[in-house]
């Protein structure tokens, strides 16, 4: 019997440093990471690729923002149930409400605490979550 493949996490983040930190953290936990550096690439990925186990999505992205990407994810039948955890440097109630209303499952402000972020990731990737 083959072991279960590592869950894939799609990271959509335009800041190179933050995306490297996220990749390092997630790969150390055994996850497979696919990275998109802008909203246009993420939108194409949602339209063409198989869904990941989880999406970590920045709000402020070049070309297409994170709120629009959540809308695309929720509109794509294969992706509709994928948990989306949004990341943003903007820490306002309005942005949190907008992200959740757009279909995000959770919202984390940057700078994030690595262990808290990993706990949230584990929560959504637990079998039966």
């Amino acid at each position: 019997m083959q072991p279960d493949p590592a869950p894939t996490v799609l990271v959509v983040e335009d800041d190179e440093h933050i995306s490297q930190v996220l990749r390092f953290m997630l790969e150390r936990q055994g996850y497979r990471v696919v990275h998109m550096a802008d909203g246009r690439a993420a939108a194409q990925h949602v339209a063409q690729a198989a869904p990941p186990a989880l999406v970590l999505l920045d709000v402020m992205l070049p070309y297409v923002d994170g709120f629009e990407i959540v809308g695309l994810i929720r509109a794509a039948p294969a992706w509709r149930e994928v948990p989306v955890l949004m990341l943003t440097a903007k820490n306002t109630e309005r942005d949190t409400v907008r992200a959740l209303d757009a279909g995000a499952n959770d919202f984390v402000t940057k700078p994030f605490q690595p262990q808290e972020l990993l706990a949230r990731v584990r929560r959504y990737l637990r079998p039966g979550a």
Side-chain angles (χ1 to χ4, degrees):
M1 194 164 115
Q2 292 288 333
D4 288 337
T8 299
V9 177
L10 172 61
V11 173
V12 184
E13 172 61 65
D14 62 319
D15 182 299
E16 191 174 331
H17 175 72
I18 293 172
S19 64
Q20 288 175 345
V21 167
L22 289 169
R23 178 182 292 275
F24 177 78
M25 286 171 37
L26 293 164
E27 287 179 345
R28 276 191 63 199
Q29 299 297 310
Y31 302 115
R32 194 171 89 74
V33 175
V34 174
H35 174 247
M36 300 289 139
D38 65 60
R40 192 174 346 178
Q44 276 186 313
H45 189 78
V46 170
Q48 299 170 349
L54 175 84
V55 177
L56 284 179
L57 177 62
D58 188 15
V59 168
M60 294 186 295
L61 294 164
Y63 311 118
V64 181
D65 73 21
F67 299 117
E68 288 182 68
I69 300 297
V70 172
L72 294 172
I73 288 170
R74 295 299 175 235
W79 287 65
R80 191 167 291 136
E81 301 301 319
V82 174
V84 176
L85 211 163
M86 293 191 81
L87 304 169
T88 189
K90 296 164 80 178
N91 186 13
T92 67
E93 179 185 24
R94 185 174 161 270
D95 288 320
T96 304
V97 169
R98 187 173 172 204
L100 296 172
D101 283 348
N105 296 81
D106 207 346
F107 192 84
V108 176
T109 55
K110 296 188 247 181
F112 52 82
Q113 298 299 317
Q115 293 306 315
E116 178 187 351
L117 181 64
L118 287 172
R120 291 173 188 265
V121 166
R122 283 192 300 272
R123 183 174 111 200
Y124 290 108
L125 294 180
R126 234 181 254 132

